[in-house]
């Protein structure tokens, strides 16, 4: 049952641990890396006199905790002077100072606290993303701390749309070079590839990326804490950088899935950036080709100003017959484009074939585990899409025929077929496994998957988006948004005057949206559809996964709490649905205005389960996808 009475409270540590001198100068409030979900509040420890000069807000320390030593971070401190003896009797003392300088500021710690409340998280689940692992070598290096002068900041929030036929990272680099240096600027890129390239374009910037080696990442992190008027370029976790004079946050390709933290608690960069902008009066700039539904709603509600681009794109659409890769009418367009420059073919997926059927009995070929057989490459054997078991000698398990038919085209198969259709042109592939950063040639054919499109010197004379219907028809509420982002991003690689050819129905609204460079043609329609069914961004979504045997008990408890008025009456339940043989999932939806009430109750519920050593449900708040 879900029962919420008074908030769970825990006493401070009650056994004294003497310092070397036995003299204490104050009390520190800390978060402790206990590894236990319900022990997420502040704890108090005595500050030994010998550590007094080192203990400050944001300093890492070691404290005794439940018969072991744990890392902690200092949130605040107060003197012993004026306190009664009973106020600190029985408190333990800090054992050790890990770093003799802060690794967080009061502002960054407050941001972490807000994120913990918003995503029902233990502070150290966020700190592990916000503060990189320590390097003892870097801690010994000499450093200077710049003086930071207070500045008056103009706080505005805007969405800047990227134009077609221009390198959007070069545009951002140009903006950074010409921006007023009233303070530091933090630029968030969706992946390491974009961050590295933008860092190279800007030059005088600090790179914060988890792909860096431990020493470099930690050194760069400390530089952001100690410097001023910096340009910091990073990936997802850099949103927590403790920049003392931050004046603007810029998010590149705001709609990217990469901005959602994959680990618990599953925060996302867009919402954390809004929290930070509110907390610290920092300007916030979203950029991209097409806004996410969340950003589109903020634009509609005038909470985010939209700066569109006036542009036109030459768009043609052709419908293909079942099983046909390229409609007959596409060949003349492509041959004409190949004479002008390189041509990009956009494949929805990588590999060779996405399914296999028997040519005789027409049954879909499956593995013993239930997964479909796929062909990753023409040079590799069939394998199971789930368990990766190889089948070098394929045979239909129903009729024992040895003649398969391949279904679904991946990028490798498309490259093979396009090469046969347009002989005499060099073909290269770029996909997630083997991405190509740049295409140097002024002619030829590139077959790429979304997210792996190489930059051409002068753009592509034509972009051919294949199997577009499959992009929009995925079983996911994000499919429309993702397809829109992919196609607008691909159009951004066109050369001036280049042609965008879509293999899709002539009536699809994406054609008009691309031709006029107005994503609102689709985002407004998508927002109306989501409003009708009460899906995000009009609601808070919470996904709970728990063992199948405990799901019904959980569901009864939640509905009982709703009947008693503890859970918002507006809560809707989707599921439960089995996601494996041992796990089941339920999704809770409430209007945004009731979201924090739901999150607070579920947070308390999980803390109580943790305190009683029951199995914890895995909780994701506002996940990227509900499926």
């Amino acid at each position: 049952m879900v029962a919420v009475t008074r908030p769970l409270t825990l006493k401070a540590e009650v056994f004294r641990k003497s310092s070397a001198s036995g003299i204490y100068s104050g009390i520190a409030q800390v978060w402790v890396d206990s590894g236990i979900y319900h022990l997420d509040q502040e704890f108090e420890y005595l500050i030994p006199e010998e550590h007094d000069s080192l203990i400050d807000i944001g300093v890492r320390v070691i404290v005794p905790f439940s018969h072991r030593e744990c890392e902690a971070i200092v949130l605040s401190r107060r003197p012993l002077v004026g306190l009664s003896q009973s106020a600190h009797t029985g408190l333990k003392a800090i054992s050790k100072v890990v770093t003799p300088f802060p690794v967080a500021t009061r502002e960054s710690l407050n941001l972490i606290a807000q994120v913990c409340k918003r995503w029902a998280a233990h502070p150290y689940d966020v700190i592990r993303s916000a503060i990189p692992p320590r390097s003892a070598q870097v801690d010994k290096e000499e450093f200077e701390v710049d003086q930071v002068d207070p500045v008056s900041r103009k706080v505005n929030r805007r969405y800047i749309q990227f134009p077609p036929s221009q390198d959007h990272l070069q545009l951002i680099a140009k903006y950074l070079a010409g921006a007023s240096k009233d303070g530091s600027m933090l630029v968030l890129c969706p992946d390491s590839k974009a961050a590295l390239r933008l860092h190279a374009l800007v030059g005088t910037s600090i790179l914060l990326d988890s792909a860096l080696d431990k020493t470099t990442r930690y050194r760069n992190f400390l530089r952001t804490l100690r410097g001023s008027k910096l340009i910091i370029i990073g990936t997802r976790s850099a949103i927590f950088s403790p920049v003392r004079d931050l004046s603007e946050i810029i998010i590149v390709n705001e709609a990217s899935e990469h901005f959602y933290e994959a680990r618990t608690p599953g925060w996302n960069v867009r919402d954390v950036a809004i929290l930070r902008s509110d907390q610290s009066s920092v300007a916030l700039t979203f950029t991209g080709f097409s806004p996410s539904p969340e950003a589109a709603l903020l634009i509609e509600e005038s909470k985010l100003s939209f700066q569109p681009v006036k542009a036109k794109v030459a768009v043609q659409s052709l419908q293909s017959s079942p099983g046909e890769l390229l409609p007959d009418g596409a060949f003349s367009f492509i041959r004409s484009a190949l004479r002008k420059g390189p041509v990009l073919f956009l494949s929805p997926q990588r590999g060779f074939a996405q399914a296999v059927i028997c040519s005789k009995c027409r049954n879909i070929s499956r593995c013993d585990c239930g997964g479909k057989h796929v062909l990753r490459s023409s040079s590799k054997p069939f394998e199971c899409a789930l368990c990766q078991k190889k089948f070098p000698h394929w045979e239909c398990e129903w009729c024992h025929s040895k003649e398969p038919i391949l279904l679904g085209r991946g990028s490798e198969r498309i490259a093979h077929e396009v090469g046969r259709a347009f002989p005499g042109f060099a073909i290269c592939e770029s996909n997630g496994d083997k991405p190509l950063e740049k295409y140097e040639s002024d002619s030829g054919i590139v077959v790429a998957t979304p997210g792996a499109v190489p930059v051409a010197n002068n753009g592509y004379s034509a972009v051919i988006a294949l199997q577009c219907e499959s992009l929009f028809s995925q079983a996911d509420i994000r499919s429309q948004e993702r397809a829109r982002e992919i196609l607008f991003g691909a159009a951004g690689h066109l050369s001036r005057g280049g042609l965008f050819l879509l293999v899709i129905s002539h009536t699809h609204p994406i054609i008009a949206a691309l031709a006029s460079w107005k994503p609102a043609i689709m985002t407004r329609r998508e927002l109306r559809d989501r409003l009708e069914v009460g899906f995000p961004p009009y609601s808070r979504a919470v996904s709970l996964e728990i063992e199948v045997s405990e799901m019904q008990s959980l569901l009864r408890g939640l509905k009982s709490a709703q009947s008693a008025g503890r859970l918002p009456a507006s809560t809707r339940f989707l599921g439960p649905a089995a996601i494996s043989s041992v796990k089941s999932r339920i999704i809770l939806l409430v209007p945004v205005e009731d979201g924090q009430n739901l999150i607070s109750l579920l947070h308390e519920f999980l803390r109580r389960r943790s305190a009683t050593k029951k199995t914890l449900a895995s909780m994701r708040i506002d996940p990227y996808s509900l499926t």
Side-chain angles (χ1 to χ4, degrees):
M1 298 289 289
V2 179
V4 177
T5 53
R6 59 187 179 82
L8 187 71
T9 57
L10 296 170
K11 293 182 179 179
E13 293 289 299
V14 295
F15 297 101
R16 180 184 297 277
K17 178 168 180 168
S18 299
S19 69
S21 65
I23 302 173
Y24 305 100
S25 59
I27 295 175
Q29 288 74 41
V30 303
W31 280 328
V32 180
D33 186 11
S34 64
I36 302 173
Y37 183 80
H38 66 275
L39 302 181
D40 58 352
Q41 73 272 38
E42 297 179 13
F43 291 91
E44 292 189 338
Y45 285 86
L46 291 168
I47 301 172
E49 187 179 49
E50 58 267 29
H51 297 326
D52 180 66
S53 62
L54 301 177
I55 302 296
D56 199 359
I57 294 171
V59 168
R60 280 173 165 155
V61 295
I62 300 295
V63 298
F65 193 89
S66 185
H67 309 294
R68 59 195 173 104
E69 298 283 294
C70 295
E71 182 182 299
I73 192 164
V74 178
L75 304 174
S76 62
R77 57 172 291 169
R78 56 194 172 113
L80 284 178
V81 177
L83 295 179
S84 64
Q85 183 67 26
S86 60
H88 58 83
T89 298
L91 292 182
K92 288 185 178 180
I94 291 172
S95 306
K96 180 183 176 182
V97 176
V98 178
T99 51
F101 48 78
V103 291
T105 62
R106 189 189 301 274
E107 179 187 58
S108 66
L109 291 171
N110 287 340
L111 179 62
I112 291 170
Q114 288 190 56
V115 170
C116 289
K117 180 180 178 181
R118 170 70 172 76
W119 279 274
H122 189 291
Y124 262 85
D125 286 338
V126 181
I127 287 172
R128 271 183 277 276
S129 296
I131 303 173
R134 167 180 177 258
S135 168
Q137 172 188 335
V138 175
D139 281 346
K140 297 174 184 177
E141 296 175 359
E142 297 279 335
F143 65 88
E144 293 183 4
V145 179
D146 292 350
Q147 293 295 321
V148 175
D149 298 322
V151 294
S152 58
R153 298 165 178 165
K154 183 180 179 182
V155 179
N156 55 19
R157 292 180 183 170
R158 55 186 177 169
Y159 186 103
I160 299 178
Q161 186 187 24
F162 292 140
S165 306
Q166 293 186 51
D167 188 332
H168 64 279
L169 292 182
Q170 287 187 351
L171 293 175
I172 291 173
K174 184 177 179 181
Y175 171 77
L176 293 172
S180 157
K181 296 299 186 294
D182 292 332
S184 294
M185 305 182 77
L186 176 61
V187 186
L188 281 302
C189 295
D191 52 45
S192 298
K193 181 178 74 172
L196 283 168
R197 185 161 173 263
L198 182 58
H199 175 60
L201 289 170
V202 173
T204 55
S205 61
I206 297 175
L207 183 63
L208 280 182
D209 183 7
S210 58
L212 295 171
D213 65 82
K214 178 181 174 181
T215 301
T216 304
R217 183 186 177 196
Y218 186 58
R219 181 182 293 113
N220 287 358
F221 173 81
L222 293 182
R223 287 173 62 196
T224 69
L225 177 62
R226 298 162 180 167
S228 64
K229 297 184 179 179
L230 306 170
I231 295 176
I232 301 119
I233 297 171
T235 47
R236 187 171 56 228
S237 60
I239 187 61
F240 295 101
S241 302
V243 187
R244 296 174 301 145
D245 64 337
L246 185 61
S247 61
E248 184 175 6
I249 301 171
I250 301 172
I251 299 178
V252 182
N253 290 331
E254 164 271 335
S256 173
E257 181 179 356
H258 296 293
F259 282 132
Y260 283 72
E261 173 59 50
R263 301 172 298 180
T264 299
W267 48 268
N268 69 77
V269 167
R270 177 184 52 252
D271 289 350
V272 175
I274 291 172
L275 288 175
R276 187 164 190 177
S277 175
D278 286 338
Q279 172 189 287
S280 305
S281 299
V282 173
L284 180 57
T285 300
F286 296 112
T287 66
F289 291 99
S290 175
S292 66
E294 289 81 2
L297 181 59
L298 292 174
I299 292 168
E300 288 219 344
E301 293 176 342
S302 300
K303 296 177 181 177
L304 194 66
S305 64
F306 183 61
Q307 296 184 13
V309 171
K310 291 184 178 180
K312 299 290 183 182
V313 176
V315 178
Q316 291 281 346
S317 65
L318 292 172
Q319 290 181 264
S320 61
S321 303
E324 186 179 46
L325 178 64
L326 286 171
D328 289 340
F331 287 84
S332 59
F333 285 117
I334 297 170
R335 290 192 185 99
S336 174
L338 283 168
R339 288 193 290 268
K340 300 174 184 177
V343 172
L344 171 67
F345 285 82
L346 190 66
S347 168
Q349 50 205 354
R350 63 187 178 189
F352 199 87
Q354 310 307 313
V356 182
I357 65 170
C358 175
S359 62
K360 185 176 180 182
C361 67
R362 301 293 175 173
N363 278 306
I364 295 178
S365 181
R366 293 185 181 274
C367 174
D368 294 337
C369 74
K372 292 190 299 184
H373 287 154
V374 297
L375 188 62
R376 308 284 187 193
S377 169
S378 59
S379 60
K380 295 180 180 179
F382 293 115
E383 67 177 69
C384 174
L386 291 181
C387 68
Q388 278 78 54
K389 181 180 177 181
K390 303 293 190 293
F391 296 87
H393 306 291
W394 183 88
E395 181 180 286
C396 177
E397 64 174 349
W398 301 99
C399 68
H400 304 292
S401 169
K402 296 184 179 181
E403 296 182 8
I405 295 177
L406 304 180
L407 298 179
R409 292 179 172 90
S411 57
E412 184 177 332
R413 186 178 177 189
I414 287 172
H416 176 73
E417 294 185 16
V418 167
R420 292 176 58 187
F422 301 97
F425 292 95
I427 297 181
C428 73
E429 292 181 61
S430 179
N431 55 50
D433 290 335
K434 296 179 180 179
L436 184 64
E437 298 293 329
K438 195 168 184 180
Y439 186 69
E440 302 285 356
S441 177
D442 292 329
S443 62
I445 295 171
V446 177
V447 178
T449 53
V453 177
V455 176
N457 289 330
N458 298 303
Y460 295 95
S461 60
V463 174
I464 319 299
L466 303 168
Q467 304 171 7
C468 289
E469 300 283 4
S470 67
L471 291 173
F472 289 95
S473 60
Q474 297 172 11
D476 182 351
I477 66 166
R478 295 278 182 179
S479 63
Q480 301 289 315
E481 170 194 349
R482 196 161 43 238
R484 192 175 65 247
E485 180 189 358
I486 288 169
L487 294 177
F488 267 88
H493 288 277
L494 281 168
S495 61
R496 295 186 184 278
L499 171 71
F500 198 164
L501 181 62
L502 301 171
V503 181
I504 198 170
S505 167
H506 299 305
T507 60
H508 202 287
I510 189 63
I511 301 168
L514 284 166
S516 59
W517 208 244
K518 292 180 179 178
I521 291 174
M522 292 197 67
T523 57
R524 287 172 183 162
R525 175 179 174 180
E526 186 178 351
L527 285 175
R528 287 197 303 271
D529 291 342
R530 290 194 180 206
L531 178 61
E532 287 178 5
V533 295
F535 275 2
Y538 295 98
S539 64
R540 283 271 180 271
V542 180
S543 171
L544 288 171
E545 294 181 11
I546 201 167
E547 293 176 2
V548 172
S549 59
E550 299 196 44
M551 175 53 77
Q552 289 305 318
S553 173
L554 170 64
L555 192 55
R556 285 194 300 270
L558 290 171
K559 290 188 175 180
S560 175
Q562 186 180 35
S563 300
R566 296 189 299 273
L567 195 70
S570 57
T571 305
R572 290 189 293 146
F573 300 86
L574 305 181
I579 57 174
S580 71
S581 59
V582 294
K583 289 279 188 180
S584 188
R585 177 171 58 206
I586 188 171
I587 295 172
L588 281 63
L589 295 171
V590 294
V592 171
E593 57 269 22
D594 293 333
Q596 196 54 52
N597 290 337
L598 173 65
I599 292 167
S600 297
L601 182 133
L602 291 175
H603 190 188
E604 185 66 16
F605 166 61
L606 291 181
R607 293 175 80 237
R608 288 177 179 273
R609 286 188 69 90
S610 173
T612 54
K613 299 184 179 180
K614 292 181 180 178
T615 304
L616 282 182
S618 174
M619 181 165 65
R620 304 283 291 187
I621 296 170
D622 290 335
Y624 177 75
S625 174
L626 299 183
T627 55

